[in-house]
Amino acid sequence: MARSKEQNDRMRESRKEKIRNAALLQFVKQGLFATRIQDIAVQAGIAQGLLYHYYSSKDEIFVDLINEALDKTIAASYSVRDMETGPGEKIRFALERLVDTIENSQTFLDTCRLITQAINSTAIPIDAQDLIQEKRNIPYQVIEAIMAAGQKEGTIVGGDPKMLSILFWTSINGLAIYYSTNNNRDVELDYRVIASMFLIERESEE
Amino acid sequence: MARSKEQNDRMRESRKEKIRNAALLQFVKQGLFATRIQDIAVQAGIAQGLLYHYYSSKDEIFVDLINEALDKTIAASYSVRDMETGPGEKIRFALERLVDTIENSQTFLDTCRLITQAINSTAIPIDAQDLIQEKRNIPYQVIEAIMAAGQKEGTIVGGDPKMLSILFWTSINGLAIYYSTNNNRDVELDYRVIASMFLIERESEE
DNA sequence: TGATATATTGAATATATATTCAATATATCA
DNA sequence: TGATATATTGAATATATATTCAATATATCA
């Protein structure tokens, strides 16, 4: 054998990651269909032929990326769920952190855009559709449960908790899309405006 | 001459509209690049060759549709601006109507999706990019002015009015995208939750 | 150093689809 | 009815791009 199996696997995986990063950049910029294999290869700094050494098709890369993106949003929602505070504070803190992430993390914006793109087209690979079907609703369910708990606790406003969860995520998502397609960073966001949709005002906290 | 010029123009325009409607359906479902000329022709019930009798390319149809979509959102924002009420009430009423439209108008959802798609890709025709550049911000500016006026009036919460306008439109847009890609209509939306981001609560209205 | 496995390249090929075009149909008016 | 303009079709062509593949390079170990 020319090289140890493990070392080889590690190198292979890091090469695949380089390709995924290049593909993500192009998919987010142009969309799955407008992105050519050539674009990804150039972005990754390799010949197009080599790409097929690691991925058997453009679709396969896309599916890998969608899976990663969905897992990231699920992980983010679990980290909120598992906080050691009451539900009202969880919502407040989650919004604070999400808004900050929108303002500062290009990766987060790319993730939101990729998922939005995928959700907005029926022409994406069937495997990607299945993953979305399977995973898309988890963050909605997590927030819905927190909203319901907060209503019991008396810190979250009334109304269908499912609706509140939808408004939570669609606000964040709408904002992320706006931000990633507007280079003007002249407006500073205040998460408390969004939070006021969900949190019951306490009269004079002190 | 075989047919009067005017009659001909009218027929031509109605044919073009049929093609645009077919194209909108396909673009919204699949996206510009995944939609084939053949898909549009089949949807419109004509041969592919005939399409070129009315439009010189797929891109040209797309540009026409984007232009229409942008004009619709601008017109909607102007109708809010020109209401005969105070700014706070304008915001309240606009949200009430927009949420209702999301729940009941497929055309509105298609319009939102098409614009979101266009904004999310740099691979769209240059003419479409120019139109977006030129028209996209108008609804934001209109709502920003109303927010500022409402703050003077004392009915709108504090904070950068530009930020409030961004939250206004990104909430609506996020919601529209969610709704158009989720067939579950089991959740009824309450516009007052969104309105509570912007309107100052009046203690006991009666 | 030689053997072997894997990496890499870019030209060749296959394929999908946009666009053109010649042939034919249809509508209107003189 | 015949002349003329426009509508319509679908096969032919052009073109873009995904995928394959033969040739070559490189890394590792015996």
Short mmCIF file of all heavy atoms in Angstrom, two decimals, chain B residues 2 8 15 46-47 49-50 53-54, chain D residues 4-12:
data_model
loop_
_atom_site.label_atom_id
_atom_site.label_comp_id
_atom_site.label_asym_id
_atom_site.label_seq_id
_atom_site.Cartn_x
_atom_site.Cartn_y
_atom_site.Cartn_z
N ALA B 2 -53.51 43.15 -43.47
CA ALA B 2 -54.42 42.04 -43.21
C ALA B 2 -55.26 42.24 -41.96
O ALA B 2 -56.34 41.69 -41.84
CB ALA B 2 -53.63 40.75 -43.09
N ASN B 8 -54.24 43.99 -33.64
CA ASN B 8 -53.07 43.13 -33.60
C ASN B 8 -52.25 43.33 -32.34
O ASN B 8 -51.84 42.37 -31.69
CB ASN B 8 -52.20 43.45 -34.81
CG ASN B 8 -51.93 42.18 -35.58
OD1 ASN B 8 -51.61 41.17 -34.97
ND2 ASN B 8 -52.10 42.25 -36.88
N ARG B 15 -51.31 37.61 -25.75
CA ARG B 15 -50.48 36.42 -25.88
C ARG B 15 -49.25 36.50 -25.00
O ARG B 15 -48.85 35.55 -24.33
CB ARG B 15 -50.02 36.23 -27.33
CG ARG B 15 -51.04 35.54 -28.22
CD ARG B 15 -51.68 34.40 -27.49
NE ARG B 15 -52.64 33.69 -28.28
CZ ARG B 15 -52.37 32.61 -29.01
NH1 ARG B 15 -51.16 32.11 -29.02
NH2 ARG B 15 -53.31 32.02 -29.69
N ILE B 46 -48.32 26.18 -25.89
CA ILE B 46 -47.88 26.53 -27.25
C ILE B 46 -46.59 25.79 -27.59
O ILE B 46 -45.96 25.19 -26.71
CB ILE B 46 -47.63 28.05 -27.39
CG1 ILE B 46 -46.52 28.49 -26.42
CG2 ILE B 46 -48.91 28.84 -27.15
CD1 ILE B 46 -46.17 29.95 -26.52
N ALA B 47 -46.19 25.84 -28.85
CA ALA B 47 -44.92 25.23 -29.25
C ALA B 47 -43.78 26.16 -28.85
O ALA B 47 -43.96 27.38 -28.77
CB ALA B 47 -44.89 24.99 -30.75
N GLY B 49 -41.18 27.09 -30.42
CA GLY B 49 -40.82 28.05 -31.46
C GLY B 49 -41.64 29.33 -31.39
O GLY B 49 -41.13 30.43 -31.59
N LEU B 50 -42.92 29.17 -31.06
CA LEU B 50 -43.83 30.32 -31.02
C LEU B 50 -43.43 31.33 -29.96
O LEU B 50 -43.65 32.54 -30.12
CB LEU B 50 -45.26 29.84 -30.77
CG LEU B 50 -46.34 30.92 -30.84
CD1 LEU B 50 -46.25 31.67 -32.16
CD2 LEU B 50 -47.72 30.31 -30.66
N HIS B 53 -41.59 34.18 -31.07
CA HIS B 53 -42.34 35.16 -31.83
C HIS B 53 -42.73 36.33 -30.93
O HIS B 53 -42.99 37.43 -31.41
CB HIS B 53 -43.58 34.47 -32.39
CG HIS B 53 -44.23 35.22 -33.50
ND1 HIS B 53 -43.60 35.48 -34.69
CD2 HIS B 53 -45.45 35.80 -33.58
CE1 HIS B 53 -44.41 36.16 -35.47
NE2 HIS B 53 -45.54 36.37 -34.82
N TYR B 54 -42.77 36.07 -29.64
CA TYR B 54 -43.22 37.10 -28.70
C TYR B 54 -42.10 37.63 -27.81
O TYR B 54 -42.09 38.79 -27.44
CB TYR B 54 -44.35 36.53 -27.83
CG TYR B 54 -45.57 36.20 -28.65
CD1 TYR B 54 -45.80 34.91 -29.12
CD2 TYR B 54 -46.47 37.19 -29.00
CE1 TYR B 54 -46.91 34.61 -29.89
CE2 TYR B 54 -47.58 36.91 -29.77
CZ TYR B 54 -47.80 35.62 -30.21
OH TYR B 54 -48.89 35.34 -30.99
P DT D 4 -50.00 40.45 -52.85
OP1 DT D 4 -49.51 41.76 -53.29
OP2 DT D 4 -49.32 39.20 -53.23
"O5'" DT D 4 -50.13 40.49 -51.27
"C5'" DT D 4 -50.92 41.51 -50.66
"C4'" DT D 4 -50.88 41.32 -49.16
"O4'" DT D 4 -51.72 40.21 -48.78
"C3'" DT D 4 -49.48 41.02 -48.61
"O3'" DT D 4 -49.23 41.86 -47.50
"C2'" DT D 4 -49.57 39.56 -48.18
"C1'" DT D 4 -51.04 39.46 -47.80
N1 DT D 4 -51.60 38.08 -47.78
C2 DT D 4 -52.49 37.75 -46.80
O2 DT D 4 -52.85 38.53 -45.95
N3 DT D 4 -52.96 36.47 -46.85
C4 DT D 4 -52.62 35.49 -47.77
O4 DT D 4 -53.10 34.37 -47.71
C5 DT D 4 -51.67 35.90 -48.77
C7 DT D 4 -51.23 34.93 -49.81
C6 DT D 4 -51.20 37.16 -48.73
P DA D 5 -47.78 42.16 -46.98
OP1 DA D 5 -47.41 43.53 -47.32
OP2 DA D 5 -46.92 41.03 -47.39
"O5'" DA D 5 -48.00 42.08 -45.42
"C5'" DA D 5 -49.17 42.67 -44.84
"C4'" DA D 5 -49.56 41.87 -43.61
"O4'" DA D 5 -50.13 40.61 -44.04
"C3'" DA D 5 -48.38 41.54 -42.71
"O3'" DA D 5 -48.64 42.05 -41.40
"C2'" DA D 5 -48.27 40.02 -42.72
"C1'" DA D 5 -49.67 39.60 -43.16
N9 DA D 5 -49.70 38.33 -43.90
C8 DA D 5 -48.99 37.99 -45.02
N7 DA D 5 -49.22 36.79 -45.47
C5 DA D 5 -50.15 36.29 -44.56
C6 DA D 5 -50.82 35.04 -44.48
N6 DA D 5 -50.64 34.04 -45.35
N1 DA D 5 -51.70 34.87 -43.46
C2 DA D 5 -51.88 35.88 -42.61
N3 DA D 5 -51.33 37.09 -42.58
C4 DA D 5 -50.46 37.23 -43.60
P DT D 6 -47.56 42.05 -40.31
OP1 DT D 6 -47.74 43.27 -39.50
OP2 DT D 6 -46.27 41.72 -40.93
"O5'" DT D 6 -48.01 40.82 -39.42
"C5'" DT D 6 -49.37 40.73 -39.01
"C4'" DT D 6 -49.65 39.32 -38.53
"O4'" DT D 6 -49.59 38.41 -39.65
"C3'" DT D 6 -48.64 38.80 -37.50
"O3'" DT D 6 -49.37 38.48 -36.32
"C2'" DT D 6 -48.03 37.57 -38.16
"C1'" DT D 6 -49.12 37.18 -39.16
N1 DT D 6 -48.66 36.36 -40.32
C2 DT D 6 -49.22 35.12 -40.52
O2 DT D 6 -50.08 34.66 -39.80
N3 DT D 6 -48.75 34.44 -41.62
C4 DT D 6 -47.79 34.87 -42.51
O4 DT D 6 -47.44 34.17 -43.45
C5 DT D 6 -47.24 36.17 -42.24
C7 DT D 6 -46.18 36.72 -43.14
C6 DT D 6 -47.69 36.85 -41.17
P DA D 7 -48.74 37.71 -35.14
OP1 DA D 7 -49.42 38.17 -33.90
OP2 DA D 7 -47.28 37.77 -35.25
"O5'" DA D 7 -49.22 36.21 -35.42
"C5'" DA D 7 -50.61 35.96 -35.53
"C4'" DA D 7 -50.87 34.47 -35.41
"O4'" DA D 7 -50.38 33.80 -36.61
"C3'" DA D 7 -50.18 33.78 -34.24
"O3'" DA D 7 -51.10 32.80 -33.76
"C2'" DA D 7 -48.92 33.17 -34.86
"C1'" DA D 7 -49.38 32.83 -36.27
N9 DA D 7 -48.36 32.94 -37.33
C8 DA D 7 -47.55 34.01 -37.59
N7 DA D 7 -46.77 33.84 -38.62
C5 DA D 7 -47.08 32.57 -39.09
C6 DA D 7 -46.60 31.80 -40.17
N6 DA D 7 -45.65 32.22 -41.01
N1 DA D 7 -47.13 30.56 -40.34
C2 DA D 7 -48.09 30.15 -39.49
N3 DA D 7 -48.62 30.79 -38.44
C4 DA D 7 -48.07 32.01 -38.30
P DT D 8 -50.79 31.96 -32.50
OP1 DT D 8 -52.08 31.46 -31.94
OP2 DT D 8 -49.87 32.72 -31.64
"O5'" DT D 8 -50.03 30.72 -33.11
"C5'" DT D 8 -50.75 29.83 -33.95
"C4'" DT D 8 -49.84 28.74 -34.45
"O4'" DT D 8 -48.93 29.28 -35.44
"C3'" DT D 8 -48.93 28.11 -33.40
"O3'" DT D 8 -49.46 26.85 -33.06
"C2'" DT D 8 -47.55 28.01 -34.07
"C1'" DT D 8 -47.85 28.38 -35.52
N1 DT D 8 -46.76 29.09 -36.24
C2 DT D 8 -46.19 28.47 -37.35
O2 DT D 8 -46.53 27.39 -37.76
N3 DT D 8 -45.20 29.20 -37.96
C4 DT D 8 -44.73 30.46 -37.57
O4 DT D 8 -43.84 31.02 -38.20
C5 DT D 8 -45.36 31.04 -36.41
C7 DT D 8 -44.92 32.37 -35.91
C6 DT D 8 -46.33 30.33 -35.81
P DT D 9 -48.79 25.94 -31.90
OP1 DT D 9 -49.87 25.16 -31.30
OP2 DT D 9 -47.90 26.76 -31.07
"O5'" DT D 9 -47.90 24.96 -32.79
"C5'" DT D 9 -48.48 24.34 -33.94
"C4'" DT D 9 -47.42 23.62 -34.73
"O4'" DT D 9 -46.63 24.60 -35.45
"C3'" DT D 9 -46.45 22.83 -33.87
"O3'" DT D 9 -46.69 21.44 -34.06
"C2'" DT D 9 -45.05 23.25 -34.37
"C1'" DT D 9 -45.33 24.08 -35.60
N1 DT D 9 -44.45 25.27 -35.78
C2 DT D 9 -43.66 25.37 -36.91
O2 DT D 9 -43.61 24.51 -37.76
N3 DT D 9 -42.91 26.52 -36.98
C4 DT D 9 -42.88 27.56 -36.08
O4 DT D 9 -42.17 28.55 -36.27
C5 DT D 9 -43.74 27.40 -34.92
C7 DT D 9 -43.77 28.46 -33.87
C6 DT D 9 -44.47 26.27 -34.83
P DG D 10 -46.16 20.38 -32.98
OP1 DG D 10 -47.08 19.23 -33.02
OP2 DG D 10 -45.88 21.08 -31.70
"O5'" DG D 10 -44.78 19.95 -33.61
"C5'" DG D 10 -44.72 19.63 -34.99
"C4'" DG D 10 -43.27 19.57 -35.42
"O4'" DG D 10 -42.75 20.93 -35.54
"C3'" DG D 10 -42.33 18.87 -34.43
"O3'" DG D 10 -41.27 18.29 -35.17
"C2'" DG D 10 -41.78 20.03 -33.61
"C1'" DG D 10 -41.58 21.04 -34.73
N9 DG D 10 -41.42 22.42 -34.31
C8 DG D 10 -41.87 23.01 -33.16
N7 DG D 10 -41.56 24.28 -33.09
C5 DG D 10 -40.87 24.54 -34.26
C6 DG D 10 -40.28 25.74 -34.73
O6 DG D 10 -40.27 26.84 -34.21
N1 DG D 10 -39.68 25.55 -35.99
C2 DG D 10 -39.65 24.36 -36.67
N2 DG D 10 -39.02 24.37 -37.84
N3 DG D 10 -40.19 23.23 -36.24
C4 DG D 10 -40.78 23.40 -35.02
P DA D 11 -40.62 16.95 -34.73
OP1 DA D 11 -41.65 15.89 -34.80
OP2 DA D 11 -39.89 17.18 -33.48
"O5'" DA D 11 -39.56 16.73 -35.90
"C5'" DA D 11 -39.90 17.14 -37.24
"C4'" DA D 11 -38.72 17.87 -37.86
"O4'" DA D 11 -38.64 19.23 -37.32
"C3'" DA D 11 -37.36 17.24 -37.56
"O3'" DA D 11 -36.56 17.33 -38.74
"C2'" DA D 11 -36.80 18.09 -36.43
"C1'" DA D 11 -37.35 19.46 -36.78
N9 DA D 11 -37.52 20.38 -35.66
C8 DA D 11 -38.11 20.13 -34.45
N7 DA D 11 -38.13 21.16 -33.64
C5 DA D 11 -37.51 22.16 -34.36
C6 DA D 11 -37.22 23.51 -34.06
N6 DA D 11 -37.54 24.10 -32.90
N1 DA D 11 -36.59 24.24 -35.01
C2 DA D 11 -36.29 23.66 -36.17
N3 DA D 11 -36.51 22.40 -36.57
C4 DA D 11 -37.13 21.70 -35.61
P DA D 12 -35.04 16.83 -38.77
OP1 DA D 12 -34.82 16.23 -40.10
OP2 DA D 12 -34.78 16.07 -37.53
"O5'" DA D 12 -34.22 18.20 -38.71
"C5'" DA D 12 -34.36 19.15 -39.76
"C4'" DA D 12 -33.37 20.27 -39.54
"O4'" DA D 12 -33.74 21.01 -38.35
"C3'" DA D 12 -31.93 19.79 -39.31
"O3'" DA D 12 -31.05 20.64 -40.06
"C2'" DA D 12 -31.74 19.92 -37.80
"C1'" DA D 12 -32.64 21.10 -37.46
N9 DA D 12 -33.20 21.09 -36.10
C8 DA D 12 -33.77 20.04 -35.44
N7 DA D 12 -34.21 20.34 -34.22
C5 DA D 12 -33.89 21.68 -34.09
C6 DA D 12 -34.10 22.60 -33.04
N6 DA D 12 -34.68 22.29 -31.89
N1 DA D 12 -33.67 23.87 -33.24
C2 DA D 12 -33.09 24.18 -34.41
N3 DA D 12 -32.84 23.42 -35.46
C4 DA D 12 -33.27 22.17 -35.24
#
